[in-house]
Amino acid sequence: MDLVILGAGGKLARLLRPLFPRKARWFARADVDIHDTAALRVALRDADAVICMAGVTNASAQPLHMNTDIAVRTLDAAQDVSAGRVILLSSAAVYGVTAGVCTEDGPTAPNSEYGKAKLVMESAAAQHPHPNTVLRLGNVAGADAILAGWVPGFRLDQLPDGSTPCRSYIGPNALARTLLQLSEATALPPLLNVAAPGCIQMGALLDAARLEWRPKPAAAATIPSVNLDTTRLRMFTEFKSSDSTPMGIVEDWQNRQS
C-alpha cells in the first residue's frame, strides 16, 4: 500500500512520524508546496491513500480560511491522478460549547475562529466528488496546550465545582496506529471523531505526568467539557483500556519511541 502524508513539517506530523507503524511517503512544504498543482499531482500519483496533516492554526502566519484552500487543492489533485481516499484533519473545536457527548451527526457550535474555519473546510470536503473522510481530532498528548505547553508555574482553569476542564484525548502512539488503520480501511464514513474513548480532566493529566500546576478561576468563556463520541471510530480500530486513562495517555506520550 502506498500511503502519502502531507504536512510533514507541522507540529503534529513531527510528533507522529517517528512512531508511525509502517512506511509512508512524507512531504513537508519544502518538498511539495500544496499550492503548486503540478508538484502536488506528482506527489499523490499512485497513492492508495492520502493523509493531509497540513493546515493553518491560530499560531500560523497564514489566514485560517487557507484550511479550506489546502483541503480542496489536495482533493483536486487526488482526483486528477486517481489517488485513493483522502483523509483530512479537522478538530473537536467545531463542537465548541456543545453540551453533552459530541456526535458526528449532532450539532456544532464553534466559539473560536479556528473552529469556524475548520467547519467551513468540512463543508467544502463534503461537497467534493473525490472520496474523502474528515477526522474531528481531539486533544493529542504532546501536541496540546497542557502537556506540551506546560511550564513552571503553570496555571489551569478550575471550574466552580472544583473540577478542571475535561477533554477527549489520545496519545501519539495510539493516534499513529489509528491513522494507519483508517488509511487501510476499505470503507470509511465521511466524518469521524478521533480520540480515545472517554473524557479526561486536564488537572488529572498533569498530575499523572507529575507536572505541578496551580488552579485559577475559570473564565466565563471556558468550555467545561468536550467529550467526543467514538462509537463510529471503534468500528475501525480498537483501544486498550489504558488508552483512556490519564496515566496511560501520559505513558503513551512519554514513550514516544515505541
Side-chain angles (χ1 to χ4, degrees):
M1 178 185 179
D2 186 18
L3 173 62
V4 170
I5 302 177
L6 302 174
K11 184 177 183 179
L12 180 62
R14 294 197 308 272
L15 177 67
L16 297 183
R17 187 171 184 175
L19 315 175
F20 215 72
R22 58 154 291 168
K23 183 179 179 181
R25 291 193 285 136
W26 296 75
F27 293 104
R29 184 175 183 181
D31 307 311
V32 177
D33 188 337
I34 288 177
H35 294 88
D36 184 337
T37 302
L40 186 56
R41 287 172 178 163
V42 171
L44 301 190
R45 187 171 292 127
D46 300 323
D48 298 303
V50 178
I51 301 176
C52 183
M53 296 188 190
V56 178
T57 66
N58 291 319
S60 303
Q62 294 177 308
L64 290 169
H65 68 75
M66 291 297 294
N67 282 301
T68 297
D69 188 49
I70 290 168
V72 171
R73 285 178 178 272
T74 301
L75 290 168
D76 285 346
Q79 184 177 39
D80 290 344
V81 298
S82 301
R85 177 176 294 274
V86 174
I87 294 175
L88 301 164
L89 298 193
S90 183
S91 168
V94 302
Y95 291 116
V97 294
T98 301
V101 178
C102 302
T103 64
E104 292 93 341
D105 298 326
T108 54
N111 65 339
S112 68
E113 294 305 312
Y114 176 69
K116 293 173 184 176
K118 283 294 189 180
L119 200 57
V120 172
M121 181 275 287
E122 290 186 8
S123 178
Q127 297 173 49
H128 200 283
H130 190 77
N132 69 86
T133 294
V134 171
L135 307 183
R136 288 177 174 169
L137 185 60
N139 286 21
V140 181
D144 62 326
I146 302 301
L147 295 177
W150 181 88
V151 293
F154 192 88
R155 301 196 70 188
L156 182 62
D157 287 345
Q158 187 174 55
L159 301 167
D161 64 0
S163 66
T164 56
C166 189
R167 298 289 184 268
S168 286
Y169 255 87
I170 189 168
N173 283 284
L175 178 57
R177 292 193 303 269
T178 298
L179 289 176
L180 176 60
Q181 290 168 338
L182 293 178
S183 72
E184 294 176 337
T186 56
L188 288 177
L191 196 60
L192 277 174
N193 287 335
V194 173
C199 200
I200 303 294
Q201 281 198 39
M202 291 178 170
L205 201 61
L206 289 173
D207 290 343
R210 297 185 178 181
L211 297 174
E212 293 185 1
W213 59 280
R214 291 183 297 149
K216 63 177 181 177
T222 299
I223 301 174
S225 175
V226 181
N227 187 1
L228 302 184
D229 182 353
T230 59
T231 302
R232 190 177 294 179
L233 175 66
R234 283 178 280 139
M235 296 174 63
F236 303 95
T237 188
E238 294 183 358
F239 291 97
K240 301 173 292 186
S241 58
S242 60
D243 290 332
S244 297
T245 67
M247 184 56 70
I249 292 168
V250 166
E251 289 177 348
D252 183 311
W253 168 59
Q254 292 173 337
N255 188 20
R256 293 189 289 278
Q257 300 303 318
S258 66

